[in-house]
Amino acid sequence: MNFSPKILYISTKMFIFAVDMELRNTQVFQRSITLPNDVQEVPRLAEFIDEVCECLEFDMTLTMQLNLAIEEAVVNVMDYAYPAGTVGDVNIDVLADDEQVKFIISDSGTPFDPTAKDDVDTTLSVEERRIGGLGIHLVRQLMDTIEYARTDGKNILTLCKKRIS
């Protein structure tokens, strides 16, 4: 089969147009907030997450789950990342597209990888269970993926939730 240069040109142009339209239809949503390591700031965090979820048109159940998971992760940073009496920041960046929403929590505090913690044995009684670890267990249950990295002196915890279409 032999195509004339004109037909090939039109086909190539249509392909580029289709790819361009596909890229334009992929919505990218971005929001950020920086909070001091003070648990008195948790209401600002909750308000931020509520606004994000409203913009993304999430239902109340998903909004509550995200609030719980993100609050747990951020409060752990506020309480443990910096030595007592040290002021530090917690950055929360939100990126969303048609497939997922990512909460990227970063701080310059003490290195700590919450994903390295063993799973909590919830079959044990409260008396038999070790103290700690329930927060990350809860985050693991509520989010689809959790990743940790230590980059350029920062703890970076990425929590992802798939969007249901």
Side-chain angles (χ1 to χ4, degrees), residues 6-153:
K6 192 172 196 171
I7 293 173
L8 183 58
Y9 172 75
I10 291 170
S11 296
T12 303
K13 199 164 188 161
M14 288 301 293
F15 174 75
I16 291 170
F17 175 76
V19 169
D20 184 50
M21 290 305 294
E22 181 66 31
L23 291 174
R24 287 184 191 178
N25 288 337
T26 301
Q27 302 275 332
V28 176
F29 173 90
Q30 295 179 296
R31 293 289 190 280
S32 296
I33 189 171
T34 299
L35 300 171
N37 61 325
D38 180 354
V39 293
Q40 297 298 317
E41 296 292 327
V42 169
R44 279 184 58 207
L45 174 65
E47 185 178 307
F48 172 74
I49 296 167
D50 286 344
E51 288 173 7
V52 165
C53 290
E54 184 176 329
C55 287
L56 295 173
E57 299 179 355
F58 289 163
D59 65 25
M60 186 57 68
T61 301
L62 181 55
T63 299
M64 290 173 59
Q65 289 174 349
L66 291 173
N67 248 310
L68 187 57
I70 305 310
E71 180 181 319
E72 179 60 39
V74 170
V75 168
N76 279 342
V77 172
M78 290 175 168
D79 284 344
Y80 304 114
Y82 299 97
T86 304
V87 176
D89 288 329
V90 183
N91 303 303
I92 302 98
D93 296 307
V94 182
L95 302 172
D97 60 22
D98 294 336
E99 294 180 15
Q100 68 179 352
V101 60
K102 282 185 183 182
F103 291 86
I104 304 162
I105 302 164
S106 60
D107 66 84
S108 298
T110 305
F112 177 70
D113 180 359
T115 65
K117 297 287 276 180
D118 291 335
D119 286 337
V120 174
D121 186 351
T122 56
T123 63
L124 297 175
S125 69
V126 173
E127 295 82 19
E128 297 173 306
R129 199 176 313 144
R130 291 180 325 176
I131 294 175
L134 284 176
I136 191 63
H137 172 75
L138 180 66
V139 173
R140 283 179 177 139
Q141 296 301 308
L142 295 172
M143 302 304 289
D144 293 315
T145 62
I146 303 171
E147 297 174 358
Y148 171 83
R150 179 78 180 175
T151 306
D152 297 327

